[in-house]
């Protein structure tokens, strides 16, 4: 519970920060914001016109259906205004295609991770505590994932774009690991996070040592570093894979690190750093 509320406040903090950036930023960002808004509005309009979907989502609640349809009607008007701007429409065609490509690459990576995990019987046994029902479920999901993956990887246009997306993800991850290591190496910050709990402190330090190993491998790769420098400053939205095991361990370690006592950004750095391992 505590951790959930922490995560929620972190999300709020980041979205507030993101909004702040948007206000100050250039036309491109507001343009891409408008394109995203249009995607959302279109989805709403589409939903409102699909009775099968509406019934399923609202569980046949007529009041809810009417609410959605009223919102969709407003959305439709807004869309018409936006769509009449041809400058915006041509910008959105490019932005939306890029966003879709990025999403499909992320989906490819996630499916690849899952298929790799499902093929590792040790990892599956650990994650399921050897529960045969759960193992069977994972295998059937993995079979579906493989089929989906085949479709994605057979698209050569998509596949030629994905290495750059992966590179961006990894550069972003490197920066997160660096921030995490910096916190773990700063006793003042570490004290604030661990609050004198030496077990917790040792746990963070152990994770930070792993993070440092990854970081060293990344920074000693000149090709990798050059690629990161080249894309530096570019906005990346992709998140790297976070395993649920690490999520749980980070959650339990940080569950009593109250958001008031310590800077949210420091907690965010630690949580993200620990997730990344
Ligand atoms: C309506 O939604 C259903 C369920 O998601 C989908 O299978 C169907 O293709 C949709 N119909 C239209 C006309 O988009
Ligand atoms: C239908 O949705 C409305 C609005 O969200 C809600 O107040 C009402 O209780 C729902 N009715 C049923 C039967 O679930
Ligand atoms: C059309 O969209 C562009 C890009 O978002 C914007 O700069 C311009 O002001 C818009 N034009 C009108 C008439 O709203
Ligand atoms: C392949 O991927 C590209 C980029 O995401 C997309 O524009 C195109 O429609 C896809 N082609 C097929 C056949 O799915
Ligand atoms: C399988 O998973 C285990 C435990 O997570 C890991 O130590 C091992 O390296 C993995 N094996 C392969 C081939 O990836
Ligand atoms: C195995 O997992 C299934 C499905 O999650 C669950 O219903 C069942 O109780 C579990 N069995 C054991 C022995 O834990
Ligand atoms: C360690 O963190 C504290 C508190 O945030 C900060 O004031 C200090 O400058 C940091 N020390 C180093 C060496 O970065
Ligand atoms: C170095 O980084 C490049 C680009 O990310 C990668 O293709 C290559 O495999 C890396 N080399 C090593 C030794 O990890
Ligand atoms: C110290 O942290 C560990 C690991 O996060 C936790 O299991 C333990 O309950 C904590 N001890 C106290 C006294 O809070």
């Amino acid at each position: 519970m505590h951790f959930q509320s922490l995560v929620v406040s972190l999300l709020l903090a980041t979205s507030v920060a993101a909004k702040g950036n948007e206000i100050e930023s250039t036309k491109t960002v507001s343009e891409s914001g408008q394109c995203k808004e249009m995607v959302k509005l279109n989805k709403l309009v589409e939903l409102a016109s699909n009775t099968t979907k509406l019934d399923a989502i609202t569980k046949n609640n007529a009041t809810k259906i009417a609410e959605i349809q009223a919102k969709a009607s407003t959305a439709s008007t807004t869309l018409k205004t936006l769509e009449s701007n041809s400058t915006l429409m041509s910008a959105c065609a490019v932005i939306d295609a890029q966003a879709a490509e990025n999403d499909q690459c992320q989906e490819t990576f996630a499916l690849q991770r899952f298929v790799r995990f499902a093929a590792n019987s040790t990892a599956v046994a650990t994650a399921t505590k050897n529960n045969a029902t759960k193992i069977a479920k994972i295998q059937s999901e993995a079979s579906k994932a493989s089929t989906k993956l085949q479709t994605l990887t057979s698209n050569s246009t998509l596949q030629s774009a994905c290495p750059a997306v992966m590179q961006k993800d990894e550069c972003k991850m490197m920066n997160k690991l660096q921030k995490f290591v910096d916190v773990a190496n700063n006793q003042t910050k570490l004290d604030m996070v661990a609050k004198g709990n030496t077990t917790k402190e040792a746990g963070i330090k152990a994770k930070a040592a792993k993070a440092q190993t990854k970081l060293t491998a990344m920074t000693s790769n000149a090709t990798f570093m050059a690629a990161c420098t080249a894309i530096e400053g570019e906005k990346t939205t992709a998140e790297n894979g976070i395993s649920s095991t690490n999520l749980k361990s980070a959650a339990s370690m940080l569950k009593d690190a109250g958001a008031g006592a310590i800077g949210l950004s420091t907690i965010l750095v630690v949580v993200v750093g620990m997730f990344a391992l």
Side-chain angles (χ1 to χ4, degrees):
M1 283 309 283
H2 207 126
F3 183 70
Q4 261 173 350
S5 62
L6 174 60
V7 167
V8 168
S9 27
L10 287 174
L11 286 177
L12 287 175
T14 26
S15 71
V16 167
K19 283 226 175 77
N21 282 341
E22 220 165 276
I23 290 162
E24 283 170 27
S25 78
T26 54
K27 186 172 146 227
T28 351
V29 173
S30 75
E31 218 166 44
S32 87
Q34 277 181 305
C35 301
K36 270 187 203 152
E37 185 64 21
M38 284 177 80
V39 170
K40 262 194 235 163
L41 296 175
N42 264 317
K43 276 191 185 148
L44 180 60
V45 171
E46 201 181 284
L47 166 68
S49 68
N50 187 330
T51 41
T52 319
K53 249 190 212 169
L54 266 183
D55 288 347
I57 285 178
T58 61
K59 298 199 175 102
N60 279 311
N61 182 324
T63 316
K64 276 190 188 153
I65 291 177
E67 271 170 19
I68 292 172
Q69 280 171 339
K71 275 190 193 146
S73 166
T74 313
S76 189
T77 312
T78 311
L79 269 174
K80 283 211 181 81
T81 312
L82 290 169
E83 276 165 3
S84 69
N85 184 333
S86 59
T87 315
L88 179 63
M89 288 312 282
S90 47
C92 284
V94 177
I95 291 168
D96 291 348
Q98 236 158 31
E101 194 173 78
N102 188 66
D103 284 354
Q104 284 178 312
C105 289
Q106 296 300 343
E107 191 182 4
T108 305
F109 304 153
L111 291 170
Q112 281 168 340
R113 277 194 300 266
F114 180 64
V115 167
R116 213 160 39 226
F117 158 75
N120 182 334
S121 52
T122 318
V124 171
T126 310
T128 59
K129 298 201 174 101
N130 259 318
N131 180 320
T133 317
K134 282 185 184 161
I135 292 175
K137 174 97 175 129
I138 287 174
Q139 296 316 337
S140 101
E141 291 295 326
S143 155
K144 279 186 220 157
S146 292
T147 310
K148 183 84 218 264
L149 203 48
Q150 250 157 29
T151 313
L152 289 169
T153 51
S154 69
N155 184 332
S156 56
T157 314
L158 177 64
Q159 287 317 301
S160 65
C162 287
V165 173
M166 172 70 90
Q167 179 71 52
K168 254 191 205 177
D169 281 5
E170 286 178 343
C171 297
K172 205 183 168 204
M173 189 47 65
M174 177 178 71
N175 293 331
K176 284 177 180 168
L177 291 174
Q178 185 61 62
K179 282 185 185 158
F180 173 50
V181 167
D182 289 346
V183 169
N185 284 339
N186 181 328
Q187 196 58 47
T188 314
K189 280 189 178 153
L190 195 55
D191 285 344
M192 286 195 283
V193 176
K195 290 183 175 163
N197 180 330
T198 51
T199 315
K200 194 180 276 184
E201 186 175 320
I204 292 172
K205 279 187 170 161
K207 291 267 185 188
K210 275 195 194 167
Q212 184 58 66
T213 306
K214 273 199 184 182
L215 210 46
T216 305
M218 285 170 157
T219 50
S220 61
N221 182 336
T223 316
F224 182 85
M225 293 308 284
C228 289
T229 307
I231 60 181
E232 200 168 278
E234 270 184 47
K235 224 177 127 215
T236 57
T237 49
E239 278 302 326
N240 219 326
I242 288 167
S243 83
S244 62
T245 327
N246 290 328
L247 185 96
K248 271 189 206 147
S249 76
S252 69
M253 290 197 114
L254 294 168
K255 73 171 183 281
D256 49 6
I262 172 177
L264 273 175
S265 62
T266 303
I267 292 187
L268 187 58
V269 162
V270 174
V271 170
V272 168
M274 291 181 64
F275 284 176
L277 296 165

